[in-house]
Amino acid sequence: MGRLPSRKPTSFDIAYLAGVSQPTVSRALRGSPSVSKATRDRIEQIAQELNYRVDKNASSLRSQHSKTLALLFFEDPAPDGSHINPFFLSMLGSITRQCALRCYDLLISFQQLSGNWHIDYQDSHKADGLILLGYGDYEQYRERLTNLVDQGTDFVRWGLPLTDEPGLTLGSDNYGGGLAAVRHLIEQGRKRIAFIGTASSHAPEFEARWKGYRDALAEAGIAYDPALQAEGFSAETTGENAIAQFLDQGRKFDAVFAASDLIAIGAMRALQAAGKTIPGDVAIAGFDDIPAASMTAPPLTTVMQDLKAAGEALVTALIRKIDGEEVQSCALPVKLMVRGSSR
Amino acid sequence: MGRLPSRKPTSFDIAYLAGVSQPTVSRALRGSPSVSKATRDRIEQIAQELNYRVDKNASSLRSQHSKTLALLFFEDPAPDGSHINPFFLSMLGSITRQCALRCYDLLISFQQLSGNWHIDYQDSHKADGLILLGYGDYEQYRERLTNLVDQGTDFVRWGLPLTDEPGLTLGSDNYGGGLAAVRHLIEQGRKRIAFIGTASSHAPEFEARWKGYRDALAEAGIAYDPALQAEGFSAETTGENAIAQFLDQGRKFDAVFAASDLIAIGAMRALQAAGKTIPGDVAIAGFDDIPAASMTAPPLTTVMQDLKAAGEALVTALIRKIDGEEVQSCALPVKLMVRGSSR
DNA sequence: ATAAGTTGCGTATACGTATGCAAACTATGC
DNA sequence: GCATAGTTTGCATACGTATACGCAACTTAT
């Protein structure tokens, strides 16, 4: 620590000080078994004294892998500086932590679904694999996913698992979550349960939640009423508009299952503005368990997606794939969080 | 697009096809003026046909800069998988977007304040500059910041601006925000206003908000009552505990200014649990305007930090610094959002 | 027509690391 | 005392790009 070298130290500097060649330094620091303990110890000590760090650019260039994962986050409608979907934001935290644990760096990038990210990242060699996160019209994905698979790019996607989509997909048990939420509403004595959120295959995760809703109704012998369904993506306005529509049309309902918490929160607000009590007049359940869900009044009953497990699963699966192992898509369990909005 | 090359194309491949040398390809693609238009066009077309991407590792190694910023996020208490502070999470979105606009990649990393990040990132050459984000006991920072400055690392920090800390610090006008919030509470006729959040220099931003609080009281000729202050960092439990303490001690108060929205939300919850009405019995104001702030019942009056502007300012300032320009610390304006919790 | 300046490109090389291969050295066996 | 196997190290080179320098051709000025 006497003087700081004018230049950043390289493996050559260490080699010189240790009286060995540069390749020996490289081997020693990377843990190669073919270097003697004495030499390794000497090299490690000198490296520490000089505050030496491997130049990751040089290392990646030579070894052709970067120990870095890229997280591509999609937003379909052009973001006008508005807030990011809080669910994905939370997931990001989990992924970041998991990457740190696995000694991978994480590169983050926002993308438009319509962009050409599928060719941008696969060749620049900045990342060894891709994590795809986001929402939007699902059909746009397919072509690009196929493209990625063709190019041999390693990636995992958060979405509806166990489908025959190209590549590897992990996701929560959306169907099971929908089933559990609606069963719960039925147990609370509700009979006319509305669903807000698209049931189309353009949003497969919402569709799966909707299927859970339908099957729960069927189980209980409650007829499905299409008039109690409103379309929309994940946003508060969707919930507000849906409730306004129901009330305008004079629909009778005593519960709402919203395909996401944002929708549910919007619906709650609109109902309360219209003088309805929750859960007295209308019970509500959402999906996601975003941070705000427990802060509403009353707190929102919702299906919790285990973000910690999700981040772990995504990162673990991707790294396995990079390492050439066979990885299976799988569905992660969810948990119903019963709160004040439904009891 | 006829056949896909077995190997990733390099600048040599393009050079061969274009009948020029490799350096000419490099110059053409980087926009050097010393290559003729005809040659450049030919090269660009071939590059496009081959789906060529510059290898960023090689490029960074040679040019010694990576066009990448690293975002270091700190959490002081070891994260037990709990949620990340939503304020910083939102900021992250803003920073990410701004990086994309400026054609920089963003590398994200979680750190413990106590770690040795200050030497880890400065030499690995993966990033050209650092953005420091987070909270925790401020004193731990100083030594490391000084270290960074000494090593010539470029960085910006989100914190209390206009201080004499080492390096460059940007942040909101915490003092002005506190002043505005408490002035507003006073205008609503409140006289006994509590403050929740530490007033110590270990958390300079909270301290500045507290100073705004005190000065607003002084302006209005209201005596400062130390019994109406409770210590704590940004968490819901802080707010809950503080309210419990006030009520236990039989303190009389008709308003609360919380140093953060999380604290304010905890306080609201505790007050409502104790049968107090908001804003009838107690008016509440927070700080940050996290997404959940507008979803509480009643919606929370708070001081909005302009995250979009903050992200822009941080990224812009850092890039300027990297480019060798002189950059000044500065305070960003905040905006009081008056909502139901205070009127 | 020649000197000086300009344009456009090629030559050579450097960035710092990782790895195949061969060489040296040590240990073991007969 | 020599051959064989095992261990540890050095040599040479490759990864793909960017840039200092030089050289030719071509313009403009005298």
Side-chain angles (χ1 to χ4, degrees):
Chain A
M1 284 300 263
R3 82 271 103 86
L4 21 153
S6 54
R7 213 172 37 84
K8 191 169 83 69
T10 73
S11 52
F12 282 96
D13 298 327
I14 298 184
Y16 175 77
L17 291 174
V20 296
S21 69
Q22 176 270 328
T24 299
V25 173
S26 173
R27 281 188 281 251
L29 295 178
R30 307 225 51 227
S32 160
S34 75
V35 48
S36 70
K37 179 140 186 357
T39 310
R40 178 194 314 281
D41 288 349
R42 191 155 29 104
I43 288 173
E44 280 177 349
Q45 167 155 12
I46 294 172
Q48 180 141 15
E49 280 170 7
L50 292 191
N51 251 331
Y52 168 80
R53 307 283 136 174
V54 173
D55 184 311
K56 297 224 184 167
N57 293 316
S59 175
S60 300
L61 173 59
R62 174 61 230 239
S63 65
Q64 300 289 35
H65 53 73
S66 57
K67 276 279 183 183
T68 300
L69 306 181
L71 173 58
L72 303 194
F73 181 75
F74 298 94
E75 284 180 320
D76 206 8
D80 54 329
S82 63
H83 285 147
I84 296 167
N85 188 314
F87 173 73
F88 289 116
L89 220 41
S90 298
M91 179 99 91
L92 187 114
S94 164
I95 290 173
T96 310
R97 287 220 183 88
Q98 191 61 23
C99 281
L101 252 71
R102 304 298 228 88
C103 296
Y104 269 77
D105 283 324
L106 184 66
L107 207 56
I108 301 216
S109 176
F110 272 66
Q111 302 284 335
Q112 304 289 337
L113 237 189
S114 50
N116 61 340
W117 46 273
H118 56 295
I119 51 175
D120 251 31
Y121 265 81
Q122 68 196 1
D123 285 333
S124 72
H125 269 210
K126 276 202 89 160
D128 298 335
L130 268 38
I131 298 176
L132 272 32
L133 218 62
Y135 63 94
D137 183 352
Y138 183 71
E139 301 299 318
Q140 292 194 40
Y141 254 148
R142 295 204 58 139
E143 179 190 345
R144 290 177 170 78
L145 293 184
T146 308
N147 199 313
L148 283 180
V149 172
D150 289 347
Q151 305 274 354
T153 305
D154 291 317
F155 70 94
V156 261
R157 193 171 70 82
W158 180 259
L160 185 70
L162 306 176
T163 53
D164 57 348
E165 295 307 315
L168 185 60
T169 306
L170 300 184
S172 287
D173 179 6
N174 293 281
Y175 171 82
L179 198 65
V182 178
R183 276 178 180 163
H184 163 73
L185 292 173
I186 293 170
E187 281 166 14
Q188 302 294 311
R190 312 291 165 155
K191 305 259 186 233
R192 297 201 41 84
I193 304 173
F195 176 86
I196 311 179
T198 183
S200 113
S201 64
H202 287 243
E205 294 165 87
F206 277 18
E207 188 188 22
R209 295 171 195 181
W210 173 73
K211 285 180 179 162
Y213 157 80
R214 287 208 53 173
D215 286 0
L217 292 183
E219 274 178 6
I222 301 177
Y224 167 64
D225 181 357
L228 287 180
Q229 192 213 317
E231 287 283 318
F233 64 104
S234 182
E236 291 172 54
T237 50
T238 297
E240 291 168 355
N241 294 341
I243 294 300
Q245 175 193 322
F246 289 155
L247 295 179
D248 277 359
Q249 299 173 343
R251 309 282 175 214
K252 300 290 174 203
F253 57 99
D254 54 12
V256 171
F257 172 48
S260 82
D261 283 352
L262 285 180
I263 295 175
I265 288 169
M268 274 182 59
R269 183 174 330 202
L271 283 167
Q272 289 170 330
K276 306 284 185 190
T277 64
I278 297 169
D281 296 330
V282 181
I284 299 206
F287 207 111
D288 285 345
D289 197 23
I290 62 175
S294 54
M295 300 184 180
T296 54
L300 182 65
T301 291
T302 188
V303 178
M304 182 185 82
Q305 306 202 53
D306 187 342
L307 293 184
K308 187 148 171 281
E312 282 180 25
L314 283 170
V315 173
T316 303
L318 181 53
I319 292 177
R320 280 230 183 101
K321 198 136 201 296
I322 290 169
D323 291 343
E325 297 176 36
E326 197 60 39
V327 191
Q328 299 288 327
S329 293
C330 77
L332 275 56
V334 294
K335 188 177 166 196
L336 181 67
M337 308 296 290
V338 177
R339 300 204 182 98
S341 72
S342 68
R343 72 175 167 209
Chain B
M1 286 298 265
R3 81 270 105 84
L4 22 152
S6 55
R7 212 171 38 86
K8 191 168 84 70
T10 73
S11 51
F12 282 96
D13 298 328
I14 298 185
Y16 175 78
L17 291 174
V20 296
S21 70
Q22 177 270 328
T24 299
V25 172
S26 173
R27 281 188 283 251
L29 297 177
R30 307 224 54 225
S32 160
S34 74
V35 49
S36 71
K37 178 146 189 354
T39 309
R40 177 194 315 280
D41 289 349
R42 192 155 28 103
I43 288 173
E44 279 178 349
Q45 166 154 12
I46 295 173
Q48 179 140 17
E49 281 170 5
L50 292 191
N51 253 329
Y52 168 80
R53 307 282 137 177
V54 172
D55 184 310
K56 298 224 185 166
N57 292 316
S59 174
S60 300
L61 173 59
R62 175 58 233 240
S63 65
Q64 300 289 34
H65 54 75
S66 57
K67 275 279 183 184
T68 300
L69 306 181
L71 173 57
L72 303 193
F73 180 75
F74 297 94
E75 284 181 322
D76 205 10
D80 54 331
S82 63
H83 285 148
I84 297 166
N85 188 315
F87 173 73
F88 288 116
L89 219 40
S90 298
M91 178 101 91
L92 187 117
S94 164
I95 291 174
T96 310
R97 287 221 182 88
Q98 191 61 23
C99 281
L101 251 69
R102 303 298 227 89
C103 295
Y104 269 77
D105 284 323
L106 184 66
L107 207 55
I108 300 215
S109 177
F110 273 66
Q111 302 284 336
Q112 305 287 335
L113 238 190
S114 50
N116 61 340
W117 46 274
H118 55 296
I119 51 174
D120 251 31
Y121 266 81
Q122 70 195 0
D123 284 334
S124 71
H125 269 210
K126 276 202 89 161
D128 299 335
L130 267 38
I131 299 176
L132 272 31
L133 218 62
Y135 62 93
D137 183 353
Y138 184 70
E139 301 300 320
Q140 292 195 38
Y141 255 146
R142 294 203 59 140
E143 179 191 344
R144 291 178 170 76
L145 294 185
T146 307
N147 199 314
L148 284 181
V149 172
D150 288 348
Q151 305 275 354
T153 305
D154 291 316
F155 70 94
V156 262
R157 194 172 70 83
W158 179 259
L160 185 69
L162 306 176
T163 53
D164 56 348
E165 295 306 315
L168 186 60
T169 305
L170 300 184
S172 288
D173 178 5
N174 293 282
Y175 171 81
L179 198 65
V182 178
R183 276 179 181 163
H184 162 74
L185 292 173
I186 293 171
E187 280 166 15
Q188 302 294 311
R190 311 292 166 154
K191 306 259 183 232
R192 297 204 38 87
I193 304 174
F195 176 85
I196 311 179
T198 183
S200 115
S201 65
H202 287 244
E205 294 164 87
F206 278 17
E207 188 188 20
R209 295 170 195 182
W210 173 74
K211 285 180 180 161
Y213 158 80
R214 287 208 54 173
D215 286 359
L217 293 182
E219 274 178 6
I222 301 177
Y224 167 64
D225 181 357
L228 287 180
Q229 191 213 318
E231 287 282 319
F233 62 105
S234 182
E236 291 174 54
T237 49
T238 297
E240 291 168 356
N241 295 341
I243 295 299
Q245 176 192 321
F246 289 156
L247 295 179
D248 276 1
Q249 300 174 341
R251 309 282 176 216
K252 300 292 175 200
F253 56 100
D254 54 12
V256 170
F257 172 48
S260 81
D261 283 353
L262 285 179
I263 295 175
I265 287 169
M268 275 183 58
R269 184 173 332 202
L271 283 167
Q272 288 170 330
K276 306 283 184 193
T277 63
I278 297 169
D281 296 329
V282 180
I284 298 207
F287 207 111
D288 286 347
D289 197 23
I290 62 175
S294 54
M295 299 184 180
T296 53
L300 181 65
T301 291
T302 189
V303 178
M304 182 185 82
Q305 306 203 53
D306 186 343
L307 294 183
K308 188 150 171 278
E312 282 179 25
L314 283 170
V315 173
T316 303
L318 181 52
I319 292 177
R320 280 228 183 100
K321 199 135 199 297
I322 290 169
D323 292 342
E325 297 176 36
E326 197 60 39
V327 192
Q328 298 289 325
S329 293
C330 76
L332 276 55
V334 295
K335 189 177 165 196
L336 182 67
M337 308 297 290
V338 177
R339 301 205 181 96
S341 73
S342 69
R343 70 171 170 213

mmCIF file with all atom_site columns, all heavy atoms in Angstrom, chain A residues 19 79 172 242 311 325 330:
data_model
loop_
_atom_site.group_PDB
_atom_site.id
_atom_site.type_symbol
_atom_site.label_atom_id
_atom_site.label_alt_id
_atom_site.label_comp_id
_atom_site.label_asym_id
_atom_site.label_entity_id
_atom_site.label_seq_id
_atom_site.pdbx_PDB_ins_code
_atom_site.Cartn_x
_atom_site.Cartn_y
_atom_site.Cartn_z
_atom_site.occupancy
_atom_site.B_iso_or_equiv
_atom_site.pdbx_formal_charge
_atom_site.auth_seq_id
_atom_site.auth_comp_id
_atom_site.auth_asym_id
_atom_site.auth_atom_id
_atom_site.pdbx_PDB_model_num
ATOM 1  N N   . GLY A 1 19  ? 7.597   -13.316 -9.838  1.00 0.00 ? 19  GLY A N   1
ATOM 2  C CA  . GLY A 1 19  ? 8.635   -14.088 -10.503 1.00 0.00 ? 19  GLY A CA  1
ATOM 3  C C   . GLY A 1 19  ? 8.101   -15.252 -11.323 1.00 0.00 ? 19  GLY A C   1
ATOM 4  O O   . GLY A 1 19  ? 8.756   -16.281 -11.467 1.00 0.00 ? 19  GLY A O   1
ATOM 5  N N   . PRO A 1 79  ? -44.051 4.196   -22.943 1.00 0.00 ? 79  PRO A N   1
ATOM 6  C CA  . PRO A 1 79  ? -44.113 4.747   -21.591 1.00 0.00 ? 79  PRO A CA  1
ATOM 7  C C   . PRO A 1 79  ? -43.935 6.258   -21.633 1.00 0.00 ? 79  PRO A C   1
ATOM 8  O O   . PRO A 1 79  ? -42.940 6.755   -22.091 1.00 0.00 ? 79  PRO A O   1
ATOM 9  C CB  . PRO A 1 79  ? -42.934 4.082   -20.898 1.00 0.00 ? 79  PRO A CB  1
ATOM 10 C CG  . PRO A 1 79  ? -41.981 3.738   -21.998 1.00 0.00 ? 79  PRO A CG  1
ATOM 11 C CD  . PRO A 1 79  ? -42.788 3.543   -23.237 1.00 0.00 ? 79  PRO A CD  1
ATOM 12 N N   . SER A 1 172 ? -46.138 -18.152 -12.517 1.00 0.00 ? 172 SER A N   1
ATOM 13 C CA  . SER A 1 172 ? -46.944 -18.617 -11.402 1.00 0.00 ? 172 SER A CA  1
ATOM 14 C C   . SER A 1 172 ? -48.061 -19.522 -11.900 1.00 0.00 ? 172 SER A C   1
ATOM 15 O O   . SER A 1 172 ? -48.366 -19.558 -13.089 1.00 0.00 ? 172 SER A O   1
ATOM 16 C CB  . SER A 1 172 ? -47.555 -17.424 -10.663 1.00 0.00 ? 172 SER A CB  1
ATOM 17 O OG  . SER A 1 172 ? -46.570 -16.748 -9.936  1.00 0.00 ? 172 SER A OG  1
ATOM 18 N N   . ALA A 1 242 ? -64.525 -0.516  -15.675 1.00 0.00 ? 242 ALA A N   1
ATOM 19 C CA  . ALA A 1 242 ? -65.362 -1.713  -15.618 1.00 0.00 ? 242 ALA A CA  1
ATOM 20 C C   . ALA A 1 242 ? -66.511 -1.524  -14.638 1.00 0.00 ? 242 ALA A C   1
ATOM 21 O O   . ALA A 1 242 ? -67.668 -1.840  -14.946 1.00 0.00 ? 242 ALA A O   1
ATOM 22 C CB  . ALA A 1 242 ? -64.509 -2.916  -15.231 1.00 0.00 ? 242 ALA A CB  1
ATOM 23 N N   . GLY A 1 311 ? -37.769 -14.993 -8.748  1.00 0.00 ? 311 GLY A N   1
ATOM 24 C CA  . GLY A 1 311 ? -36.446 -14.508 -9.123  1.00 0.00 ? 311 GLY A CA  1
ATOM 25 C C   . GLY A 1 311 ? -35.420 -15.627 -9.081  1.00 0.00 ? 311 GLY A C   1
ATOM 26 O O   . GLY A 1 311 ? -34.628 -15.806 -10.008 1.00 0.00 ? 311 GLY A O   1
ATOM 27 N N   . GLU A 1 325 ? -27.262 -27.480 -19.387 1.00 0.00 ? 325 GLU A N   1
ATOM 28 C CA  . GLU A 1 325 ? -28.141 -28.493 -18.819 1.00 0.00 ? 325 GLU A CA  1
ATOM 29 C C   . GLU A 1 325 ? -29.537 -28.419 -19.432 1.00 0.00 ? 325 GLU A C   1
ATOM 30 O O   . GLU A 1 325 ? -29.920 -27.404 -19.999 1.00 0.00 ? 325 GLU A O   1
ATOM 31 C CB  . GLU A 1 325 ? -28.247 -28.309 -17.291 1.00 0.00 ? 325 GLU A CB  1
ATOM 32 C CG  . GLU A 1 325 ? -26.930 -28.490 -16.567 1.00 0.00 ? 325 GLU A CG  1
ATOM 33 C CD  . GLU A 1 325 ? -27.080 -28.190 -15.085 1.00 0.00 ? 325 GLU A CD  1
ATOM 34 O OE1 . GLU A 1 325 ? -28.134 -28.506 -14.520 1.00 0.00 ? 325 GLU A OE1 1
ATOM 35 O OE2 . GLU A 1 325 ? -26.138 -27.623 -14.492 1.00 0.00 ? 325 GLU A OE2 1
ATOM 36 N N   . CYS A 1 330 ? -41.731 -24.714 -15.634 1.00 0.00 ? 330 CYS A N   1
ATOM 37 C CA  . CYS A 1 330 ? -42.551 -25.186 -14.535 1.00 0.00 ? 330 CYS A CA  1
ATOM 38 C C   . CYS A 1 330 ? -43.374 -24.053 -13.949 1.00 0.00 ? 330 CYS A C   1
ATOM 39 O O   . CYS A 1 330 ? -43.090 -22.874 -14.161 1.00 0.00 ? 330 CYS A O   1
ATOM 40 C CB  . CYS A 1 330 ? -41.705 -25.851 -13.459 1.00 0.00 ? 330 CYS A CB  1
ATOM 41 S SG  . CYS A 1 330 ? -40.834 -24.702 -12.432 1.00 0.00 ? 330 CYS A SG  1
#
